[in-house]
């Protein structure tokens, strides 16, 4: 899918002097049904995560604490996002190569995913990703 489908989505924020509150409701705030939640934490400085694409998985990535960068690549175009707040996140559609880096100390990256973990859904080799993405683009072309 093209990188233009990936976008920052703002979440509701109930501002309160006692502490802010944000919520995510299934079927309303993210463009897929949530089947799994996982999070990265205790990330050492200088770490890089990701370095793969998913064939069918949709994801929504939030910086629950701290900040980090996400580089996206659809095989043709590249885009970089900086996530730094817990009231918005980045929607990543299937067939996008992603790399996460520049984690601040104490950062927590929460990911909502459209399916349970499946290693078969991963493409971990970038050359293979470019080949499969190119094939899909040609098959869906005019
Ligand atoms: P991976 O997705 O490669 O990490 P990242 O993209 O964040 O760098 O996953 C790292 C390891 O954790 C890998 O062995 C698979 C395992 N894993 C699960 O068992 N369940 C999960 O939901 C996820 C995301 C990973």
């Amino acid at each position: 899918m093209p990188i233009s489908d990936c976008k920052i989505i703002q979440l509701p924020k109930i501002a309160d002097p006692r502490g802010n509150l944000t919520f995510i409701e299934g079927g309303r705030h993210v463009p897929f049904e949530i089947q799994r939640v996982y999070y990265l934490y205790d990330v050492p400085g200088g770490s890089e995560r990701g370095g793969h694409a998913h064939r069918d998985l949709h994801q929504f990535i939030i910086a629950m604490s701290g900040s980090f960068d996400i580089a996206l690549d659809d095989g043709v175009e590249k885009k970089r996002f900086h996530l730094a707040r817990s009231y918005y996140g980045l929607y990543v559609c299937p067939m996008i190569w992603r790399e996460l880096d520049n984690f601040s100390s104490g950062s927590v990256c929460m990911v909502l995913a459209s399916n349970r973990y499946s290693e078969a859904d991963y493409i971990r080799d970038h050359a293979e990703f470019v080949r499969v993405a190119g094939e899909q683009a040609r098959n869906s072309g005019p």
Side-chain angles (χ1 to χ4, degrees), residues 1 5 7 11 42 48 66 69 71 74 79 84 88 93 100-101 103 106 125 135 139:
M1 285 168 87
D5 287 2
K7 55 178 191 279
L11 298 167
D42 294 345
E48 290 181 9
D69 293 343
D74 64 5
K79 254 188 185 172
Y88 64 80
C93 62
L100 284 75
D101 60 16
F103 287 90
D125 179 73
E135 248 167 41
N139 292 339

Side-chain angles (χ1 to χ4, degrees), residues 44-71:
S47 267
E48 290 181 9
R49 305 282 321 211
H52 56 74
H54 289 281
R55 295 175 191 275
D56 295 314
L57 194 72
H58 300 252
Q59 292 184 313
F60 185 66
I61 305 175
I62 309 167
M64 295 300 282
S65 183
S67 64
F68 49 85
D69 293 343
I70 308 181

